[in-house]
Amino acid sequence: MNIGILGTGNIGKTLVMKLSAAGHDVKVANSRGPDTIEGEILTHGARAVTATEALTGVDVVILSTPLSAIPKIAPLFASVPASTVIIDTSNYYPKRDGEIADIEAGQTESEWVAEQLGRPIAKAWNAITSASFAQKGLPAGTAGRIAIPVAASGERERDVAIRLVDETGLDAVYAGPLSESWRQQPGSPGYCTDLTRDELTDALTATERARLPKRRDLAIEAIMERVGDSTTNPDSDYAVRLTRALFM
């Protein structure tokens, strides 16, 4: 497929490398321009382009930006064909993104993103640490393969996201429509806990929505105490131990 990726953060750059290595034609853009994109992530044939070019002539667009950036890039989607599948990887962290009233009032993060874009989306790759995503992918069928949730209200968005998740070395578990995507938001038992398919299925069922914000904020406080700020990612082993202790 022809894939455009917006964002070259820790999740975005791994998406670029894994999807281009899998044989897809990948274009990637960030907010600073193509000249600032590291050559390393272009190793498998991906091309650095502008944001407008990344959204042109593609089958899939993957958003790997902070959630707070979504309204700023939404106007770019006015000319993107309705047949283009959009997949979002973002999460809501109020200390980083600022408080968003609709999400605070109970709208799922994915529904809010879809509303900003005026388009249906799928939600994937949001519930794995960047280190686990980069380092722990395995071929399909391998025992112990990490699974991540995929939420989508449309069949095409669901099917494309599940296929691409598999091609990045992870099992995909369908978590339901966007209205149910709170089950994979920060603070949930399936969020960044490196579970297998069977374990993740049980975790999604066990999620208690009312407890998610407090658990999310506790995790951020613990990480900030360890690494000193709210943007540095801790190593994968620590992050998974922490999320399992707090979220499960």
Side-chain angles (χ1 to χ4, degrees), residues 219-229 238:
I220 288 297
E221 291 297 328
I223 290 170
M224 288 178 64
E225 190 282 329
R226 184 178 180 90
V227 303
D229 60 64
Y238 170 77

Side-chain angles (χ1 to χ4, degrees), residues 166-230:
D166 177 70
E167 292 182 356
T168 59
L170 307 168
D171 282 344
V173 173
Y174 179 56
L178 296 186
S179 61
E180 291 290 310
S181 61
W182 53 269
R183 297 182 184 276
Q184 66 195 76
Q185 289 180 183
S188 65
Y191 182 80
C192 296
T193 46
D194 284 6
L195 305 180
T196 63
R197 179 186 295 275
D198 289 344
E199 291 169 336
L200 179 58
T201 299
D202 291 341
L204 291 168
T205 301
T207 305
E208 300 172 82
R209 188 172 189 175
R211 303 180 72 177
L212 302 186
K214 185 173 184 179
R215 290 174 170 181
R216 174 200 65 206
D217 294 344
L218 283 171
I220 288 297
E221 291 297 328
I223 290 170
M224 288 178 64
E225 190 282 329
R226 184 178 180 90
V227 303
D229 60 64
S230 61

Side-chain angles (χ1 to χ4, degrees), residues 20-215:
S20 56
H24 298 288
D25 184 349
V26 177
K27 298 186 288 186
V28 57
N30 64 18
S31 60
R32 301 179 303 280
D35 292 342
T36 68
I37 294 176
E38 300 173 11
E40 176 191 3
I41 72 173
L42 308 177
T43 301
H44 302 293
R47 291 169 287 146
V49 298
T50 67
T52 299
E53 290 169 333
L55 302 185
T56 302
V58 292
D59 306 302
V60 181
V61 173
I62 302 176
L63 302 178
S64 191
T65 68
L67 184 135
S68 58
I70 298 293
K72 300 174 188 176
I73 63 178
L76 297 174
F77 286 83
S79 59
V80 175
S83 59
T84 302
V85 170
I86 301 169
I87 305 173
D88 176 49
T89 73
S90 67
N91 293 296
Y92 173 54
Y93 284 98
K95 288 187 177 181
R96 179 195 65 191
D97 300 312
E99 286 197 3
I100 297 174
D102 288 339
I103 296 177
E104 294 290 335
Q107 186 177 37
T108 69
E109 297 167 16
S110 299
E111 289 175 311
W112 184 85
V113 170
E115 186 176 274
Q116 302 309 302
L117 300 179
R119 300 286 295 270
I121 68 165
K123 183 70 166 276
W125 295 293
N126 75 296
I128 186 167
T129 67
S130 58
S132 290
F133 185 34
Q135 301 164 11
K136 297 182 181 180
L138 294 169
T142 304
R145 195 186 200 208
I146 293 173
I148 61 170
V150 170
S153 298
E155 291 184 3
R156 176 165 164 73
E157 288 79 16
R158 177 198 66 196
D159 293 347
V160 169
I162 286 173
R163 171 189 166 183
L164 294 179
V165 165
D166 177 70
E167 292 182 356
T168 59
L170 307 168
D171 282 344
V173 173
Y174 179 56
L178 296 186
S179 61
E180 291 290 310
S181 61
W182 53 269
R183 297 182 184 276
Q184 66 195 76
Q185 289 180 183
S188 65
Y191 182 80
C192 296
T193 46
D194 284 6
L195 305 180
T196 63
R197 179 186 295 275
D198 289 344
E199 291 169 336
L200 179 58
T201 299
D202 291 341
L204 291 168
T205 301
T207 305
E208 300 172 82
R209 188 172 189 175
R211 303 180 72 177
L212 302 186
K214 185 173 184 179
R215 290 174 170 181

